[in-house]
Amino acid sequence: MDVLVAGGDRRAAHLARLLRHKGLDARAVGLEKCGLEGVEAVPVESATEADWVVLNSPFRCDLAEKPFGVDRLLARLRPGTGLIFCGPRRPPAGLEGFRVRDVTEDEDFLRWNAELTAEGALFSAMRARDSALMDSACLVIGWGRIGRALTERLVALGARTTVASRSARGMRMAQSRGADAVATESLREALPGMDVVFSTPPFPVLDAETLAAAREDACVIDLASPPYGVDIEAAHRLHLRAWREPGLPGRYCPQSAARALAAAVERILEGDGRNA
């Protein structure tokens, strides 16, 4: 089976190498500058030979010697070629001539990716502060996969951890993990005592009015996808240390992120074979 890994970051380069080690005819296009051995780079013109193409949405080609757009790639593919999208957004419209799969529908992948995101978020916070997390008060906003993974790690490290959840069930589950819990509506009251704030929901939760309650020396880390959860511009106007950490697994631990992705790709290929 011919699998083409197209564009992306070092996670994609590690993925191409992993799939090749697993016995697939895996090659890479748009990753010539990845700097990894064992990645077979081919020109975009060879995409016509692919049975499956693995790519991100939106498509990026930052590690290519000669960057190209997704339209050029798609124009080279045969009708019926399989497209495996790896996020962060849903696959685009207008792909009716292809077999489209989305790894973000794979619960095992999402859970694994959330664990890697949480670890990367802790690293980002540790790097930014002079105090250890075990000596810090931390607020986790959201009780999704990433929020749960963060909470478990923070509690294990000894951080004074509070979770803000929209649901009573989320608050109860956070407390069962050893954290304190507040309703998301009470963020303004919870912020003043926090050293580090991790925001995970992909919708606005920390606007200018709410951020005004934060400590001046607090770190605010937005882990959400667009439209994001933190008004970064407002935070900077308030002189807070606030930043976004998009795509953490691919940047913080690309090899581990590729293992999670390779497992999801294999499940898709096996499922397609069963349904053929």
Side-chain angles (χ1 to χ4, degrees), residues 13-24 26 255 258-260 262:
H14 280 289
L15 173 66
R17 190 165 63 174
L18 278 172
L19 293 177
R20 195 166 190 84
H21 287 169
K22 292 175 180 291
L24 296 171
Q255 186 170 4
R259 289 196 186 99

Side-chain angles (χ1 to χ4, degrees), residues 103-184:
V103 299
T104 65
E105 296 177 352
D106 183 320
E107 182 60 34
D108 287 340
F109 169 77
L110 292 175
R111 189 180 305 111
W112 194 346
N113 208 55
E115 300 283 341
L116 297 176
T117 298
E119 185 171 321
L122 296 184
F123 174 75
S124 179
M126 291 172 178
R127 187 173 54 183
R129 288 179 49 77
D130 290 335
S131 297
L133 290 177
M134 66 177 292
D135 193 30
S136 303
C138 299
L139 175 64
V140 177
I141 305 174
W143 189 249
R145 299 178 192 87
I146 296 173
R148 289 194 294 271
L150 267 172
T151 300
E152 290 167 355
R153 283 162 173 74
L154 287 167
V155 169
L157 286 170
R160 301 185 301 280
T161 307
T162 300
V163 173
S165 172
R166 291 188 297 173
S167 71
R169 179 175 181 273
M171 293 172 64
R172 290 194 301 271
M173 292 181 68
Q175 290 169 333
S176 73
R177 303 297 203 279
D180 294 326
V182 298
T184 303

Side-chain angles (χ1 to χ4, degrees), residues 43-55:
V44 67
E45 289 75 16
S46 68
T48 187
E49 303 171 9
D51 300 307
W52 289 91
V53 178
V54 184
L55 68 166

Side-chain angles (χ1 to χ4, degrees), residues 57-74:
S57 178
F59 182 74
R60 297 190 63 178
C61 206
D62 299 338
L63 296 179
E65 292 287 355
K66 296 181 179 179
F68 55 89
V70 69
D71 290 341
R72 183 181 173 195
L73 173 67
L74 296 176

Side-chain angles (χ1 to χ4, degrees), residues 258-272:
R259 289 196 186 99
L261 191 51
V265 168
E266 285 187 289
R267 286 191 290 271
I268 288 174
L269 298 182
E270 291 170 1
D272 185 80

